[in-house]
Amino acid sequence: MADKKVSGTGGNHYIPYENRSGEKSVVYFTRDLSVEGLLQIYRRIASRISGKVGIKIHTGEKHGPNIIPRPWVQKLIETELPGAAIVETNTYYEGDRYTTEQHRETLKTNGWTFCPVDIMDEQGTAMLPVKDGKWFTEMSVGKGLLDYDSLLVLTHFKGHTQGGFGGSDKNIGIGCADGRIGKAMIHTTPGSSDMWDINKEEFMERMTESTKAVVDYFGEHIAYINVLRNMSVSCDCEGTAAMPVVTPNIGIVASLDILAADQASVDMVYALKEHEHHDLVERIETRHGLRQLTYMKELGMGNDRYVLVDIDHMDKEILAGDAVKDVKPFSEDGR
């Protein structure tokens, strides 16, 4: 009889920096939430990105209010990544991105028309190995992913209904899994009538194993940027139904280490004052989303300790608390 798989625990408990151990990675940070800020921080991790480049970004449901501004992405591509394509997959749920045809209409509505957009599962699926996984030995991804030499993971960091938070891990763990097979492997127990029946720690682990398949596939040719702006507790997949933003904007982080990028982003949220981060922290902890971080560490995907480099102040090394000490209450102008 096969051993029953059991998920880990502790996804609702934040581990302070001083209680972590291991090596450190470098994470770059800017408070400059603008085209120029994005360009400057991208240049710090650009050395890993070459050849045919895919940019994994959440393009959002129709008229989604919180996605990364399209002009920022357009300028990044025109200036630094000519020839790059945005890469996406169709959704598991029925909506405006469920089929390729619906998805392409939504892309037009949202203005993603300035570069190629590759809906990677349009031409089918491919299986990538999951090394040392608990739940999977392989993961089904959009076949188009295999056409790229490098992947830039450009993530709008925010809350998430199922994952607690959506960082780089969620962006590629869910976002590269194809819409019918891969996403079902992550979300649904075979035979269940509830397509969302897998949740909390087990969901975080399945999603992270999917991420690991993609990270291992690209090897040295992958880098991560998290934009901590318009951080609703809702994912961009909720579009105009997203909950109002109440968390202050923070800035942009970038790293060659996926765990360090997501961990630094979470640390900055936790470093905010209680009234500033209450809603987002509650969303993270009630969904047990912090298991994303501890499982990435268990799988050897990166480090949860890091050197935080403030590129706004001559590369001074700072702490997460320093990064957020001058944040202002959220306002609709996106600054």
Side-chain angles (χ1 to χ4, degrees), residues 227-291:
V227 179
L228 285 76
R229 169 190 178 274
N230 286 26
M231 292 180 285
S232 170
V233 300
S234 304
C235 177
D236 293 335
C237 55
E238 296 183 51
T240 56
M243 293 293 289
V245 177
V246 296
T247 307
N249 290 335
I250 293 174
I252 309 174
V253 304
S255 183
L256 299 176
D257 179 331
I258 186 172
L259 172 53
D262 276 0
Q263 182 72 68
S265 300
V266 169
D267 287 345
M268 289 179 191
V269 169
Y270 273 79
L272 293 166
K273 296 180 177 65
E274 202 283 333
H275 73 276
E276 294 172 331
H277 73 196
H278 176 272
D279 288 16
L280 187 49
V281 165
E282 180 181 59
R283 174 57 56 98
I284 291 169
E285 294 183 354
T286 57
R287 272 56 171 185
H288 295 226
L290 297 166
R291 181 58 178 153

Side-chain angles (χ1 to χ4, degrees), residues 146-198:
L146 278 57
D147 294 336
Y148 295 88
D149 302 309
S150 300
L151 190 67
L152 175 63
V153 184
L154 178 55
T155 302
H156 172 218
F157 186 92
K158 67 281 182 184
H160 190 267
T161 302
Q162 193 87 335
F165 71 91
S168 292
D169 184 26
K170 185 265 174 187
N171 190 5
I172 52 178
I174 300 297
C176 291
D178 71 277
R180 301 296 174 267
I181 303 170
K183 289 181 173 69
M185 292 168 67
I186 299 165
H187 280 291
T188 311
T189 303
S192 173
S193 60
D194 178 4
M195 66 189 293
W196 311 112
D197 75 312
I198 296 173

Side-chain angles (χ1 to χ4, degrees), residues 23-283:
E23 300 298 315
K24 293 183 180 181
S25 295
V26 176
V27 176
Y28 300 99
F29 172 69
T30 179
R31 299 160 190 80
D32 186 359
L33 283 161
S34 71
V35 169
E36 190 55 36
L38 179 60
L39 293 175
Q40 290 294 336
I41 208 162
Y42 167 74
R43 290 166 185 151
R44 298 304 185 98
I45 46 89
S47 62
R48 293 286 181 89
I49 305 299
S50 60
K52 185 176 180 180
V53 178
I55 303 174
K56 179 61 192 76
I57 187 170
H58 198 313
T59 53
E61 294 296 336
K62 285 183 177 178
H63 308 293
N66 298 322
I67 57 177
I68 295 174
R70 292 167 294 278
W72 296 13
V73 182
Q74 182 173 1
K75 187 69 171 179
L76 175 68
I77 292 173
E78 290 173 352
T79 306
E80 304 291 333
L81 294 163
I86 290 171
V87 296
E88 273 276 35
T89 55
N90 292 318
T91 57
Y92 184 40
Y93 56 87
E94 293 192 33
D96 290 334
R97 296 183 298 134
Y98 184 65
T99 67
T100 297
E101 293 72 27
Q102 291 170 314
H103 202 156
R104 293 213 177 277
E105 284 302 312
T106 300
L107 290 164
K108 290 177 185 176
T109 298
N110 284 351
W112 300 104
T113 56
F114 50 80
C115 71
V117 180
D118 184 351
I119 299 175
M120 297 183 290
D121 47 353
E122 180 176 12
Q123 301 300 326
T125 66
M127 300 300 290
L128 293 181
V130 177
K131 300 171 187 173
D132 303 316
K134 176 195 299 184
W135 303 99
F136 304 121
T137 58
E138 56 185 4
M139 174 51 59
S140 182
V141 300
K143 185 179 180 181
L145 184 69
L146 278 57
D147 294 336
Y148 295 88
D149 302 309
S150 300
L151 190 67
L152 175 63
V153 184
L154 178 55
T155 302
H156 172 218
F157 186 92
K158 67 281 182 184
H160 190 267
T161 302
Q162 193 87 335
F165 71 91
S168 292
D169 184 26
K170 185 265 174 187
N171 190 5
I172 52 178
I174 300 297
C176 291
D178 71 277
R180 301 296 174 267
I181 303 170
K183 289 181 173 69
M185 292 168 67
I186 299 165
H187 280 291
T188 311
T189 303
S192 173
S193 60
D194 178 4
M195 66 189 293
W196 311 112
D197 75 312
I198 296 173
N199 53 39
K200 295 185 176 177
E201 280 86 357
E202 182 178 339
F203 172 74
M204 308 309 158
E205 292 175 3
R206 286 171 177 262
M207 176 172 66
T208 300
E209 290 187 16
S210 176
T211 297
K212 189 174 190 296
V214 176
V215 171
D216 288 347
Y217 176 78
F218 283 100
E220 295 292 306
H221 300 287
I222 188 168
Y224 312 92
I225 298 174
N226 286 348
V227 179
L228 285 76
R229 169 190 178 274
N230 286 26
M231 292 180 285
S232 170
V233 300
S234 304
C235 177
D236 293 335
C237 55
E238 296 183 51
T240 56
M243 293 293 289
V245 177
V246 296
T247 307
N249 290 335
I250 293 174
I252 309 174
V253 304
S255 183
L256 299 176
D257 179 331
I258 186 172
L259 172 53
D262 276 0
Q263 182 72 68
S265 300
V266 169
D267 287 345
M268 289 179 191
V269 169
Y270 273 79
L272 293 166
K273 296 180 177 65
E274 202 283 333
H275 73 276
E276 294 172 331
H277 73 196
H278 176 272
D279 288 16
L280 187 49
V281 165
E282 180 181 59
R283 174 57 56 98

